[in-house]
């Protein structure tokens, strides 16, 4: 994509969100809605700046939970997906187990996890992990299964060992799907950490949202929600950045 096209796309995106913000601002003011019910964006941005210290401190807590939960989800999800793909026994036993676990509402598990692991980092890390884990497995499985058949035949003709075929063919073929799964899993990890903080925590953006809404401080609630949203966007595009190095995606 050329530079002018990129600039034009950015201008369109910026104009769209600016339009939404102005519609919200003037809609609230003209309708006479009380600020404690729905504050205008100007008040929320002012609160975001005024409370930047506490919001930044709580954001770092939540970011730590999200980062380690996501890392553990990748570290466990990828080898488990490979095991399921190559082992018929694992496909018939382990895979249905994870599908069943995925069907359990994570919000329902959150109170139990807090009871088992306490109010500290561990319970929120586990919640982030649980939300991110299944998309990693599914995307990795899909990537491994999408290996082109003609390339498999080519590797067999070259008498490549199974390990050579795995590392030099299946892993590169699975990378695009794996990164797509990471893009899905990363915002889910943020949601998982915040849900864990809702249920039981003394720190984090979830706790800040709960405290602010409980005290009727609506502008701070929205400011914390914006911080959560910005964190999700930054983490999402941080993962998406690595797609540029997978030059064979289009092929």
């Amino acid at each position: 994509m050329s530079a002018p096209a990129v600039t034009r796309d950015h201008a369109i995106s910026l104009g769209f969100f600016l339009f939404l913000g102005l519609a919200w601002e003037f809609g609230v003011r003209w309708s006479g809605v009380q600020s404690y019910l729905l504050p205008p964006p100007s008040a929320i941005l002012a609160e975001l700046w005024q409370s930047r210290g506490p919001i930044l401190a709580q954001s770092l807590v939540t970011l730590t939970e999200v980062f380690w939960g996501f890392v553990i989800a990748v570290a466990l999800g990828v080898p488990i997906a490979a095991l399921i793909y190559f082992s018929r026994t694992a496909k018939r036993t382990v895979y249905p187990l994870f599908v069943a676990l995925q069907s359990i509402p994570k919000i329902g598990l959150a109170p139990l996890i807090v009871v088992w692991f306490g109010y500290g980092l561990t319970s929120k890390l586990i919640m982030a992990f649980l939300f991110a884990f299944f998309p990693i497995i599914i995307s990795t499985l899909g990537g491994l299964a999408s290996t082109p058949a003609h390339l498999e035949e080519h590797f067999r003709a070259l008498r490549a060992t199974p390990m050579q075929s795995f590392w030099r063919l299946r892993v590169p073929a699975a990378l695009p799907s794996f990164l797509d799964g990471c893009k899905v899993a990363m915002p889910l990890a943020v949601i998982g950490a915040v849900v864990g903080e809702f249920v039981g925590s003394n720190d984090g953006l979830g706790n800040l949202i709960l405290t602010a809404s409980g005290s009727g401080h609506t502008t701070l609630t929205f400011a914390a929600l914006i911080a959560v949203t910005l964190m999700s966007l930054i983490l999402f595009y941080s993962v998406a950045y690595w797609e540029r190095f997978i030059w064979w995606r289009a092929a």
Side-chain angles (χ1 to χ4, degrees):
M1 185 180 291
S2 62
V6 172
T7 303
R8 185 171 59 252
D9 290 343
H10 288 168
I12 292 172
S13 298
L14 181 62
F16 173 71
F17 286 106
L18 183 61
F19 169 77
L20 290 181
L22 290 174
W24 180 358
E25 179 78 24
F26 291 106
V28 168
R29 294 186 183 277
W30 289 343
S31 65
V33 176
Q34 297 297 319
S35 60
Y36 68 87
L37 293 175
L38 182 62
S42 58
I44 297 171
L45 292 176
E47 181 65 43
L48 190 63
W49 175 255
Q50 204 169 31
S51 303
R52 61 188 182 279
I55 289 176
L56 180 59
Q58 302 309 320
S59 297
L60 292 175
V61 173
T62 303
L63 181 61
T64 302
E65 299 161 355
V66 171
F67 175 78
W68 288 112
F70 178 80
V71 167
I72 296 173
V74 171
L76 293 180
V78 171
I80 289 175
L83 175 66
I84 293 171
Y85 181 79
F86 288 109
S87 171
R88 186 170 299 178
T89 301
K91 189 176 296 184
R92 293 176 178 175
T93 56
V94 177
Y95 185 59
L97 173 64
F98 285 122
V99 172
L101 291 175
Q102 176 65 14
S103 66
I104 300 174
K106 307 299 184 300
I107 297 177
L109 283 177
L112 289 174
I113 291 173
V114 171
V115 169
W116 293 336
F117 297 98
Y119 279 66
L121 171 67
T122 304
S123 59
K124 267 61 74 181
L125 187 152
I126 292 173
M127 285 299 299
F129 162 78
L130 289 176
F131 272 73
F133 183 57
F134 196 69
I136 298 295
I137 290 181
I138 293 298
S139 63
T140 305
L141 277 173
L144 291 172
S146 66
T147 305
H150 69 281
L151 291 181
E152 291 182 6
E153 294 175 1
H154 182 66
F155 268 65
R156 282 196 294 268
L158 293 174
R159 297 181 180 179
T161 65
M163 192 59 65
Q164 288 174 328
S165 297
F166 176 76
W167 285 110
R168 298 186 181 183
L169 175 61
R170 295 190 185 278
V171 170
L175 277 177
S177 296
F178 167 71
L179 278 180
D180 287 339
C182 288
K183 290 193 293 185
V184 174
M186 185 61 88
L188 288 177
V190 175
I191 294 172
V194 172
V195 167
E197 291 168 351
F198 278 161
V199 174
S201 176
N202 296 319
D203 299 294
L205 288 173
N207 178 262
L208 182 61
I209 293 170
L210 204 61
T211 303
S213 60
S215 61
H217 198 165
T218 311
T219 52
L220 180 58
T221 303
F222 272 93
L225 286 170
I226 288 176
V228 172
T229 304
L230 289 175
M231 180 185 299
S232 296
L233 288 173
I234 292 171
L235 292 173
F236 174 86
Y237 285 109
S238 297
V239 174
Y241 168 81
W242 295 99
E243 286 183 321
R244 67 179 60 190
F245 299 105
I246 304 179
W247 51 267
W248 60 91
R249 170 186 279 271

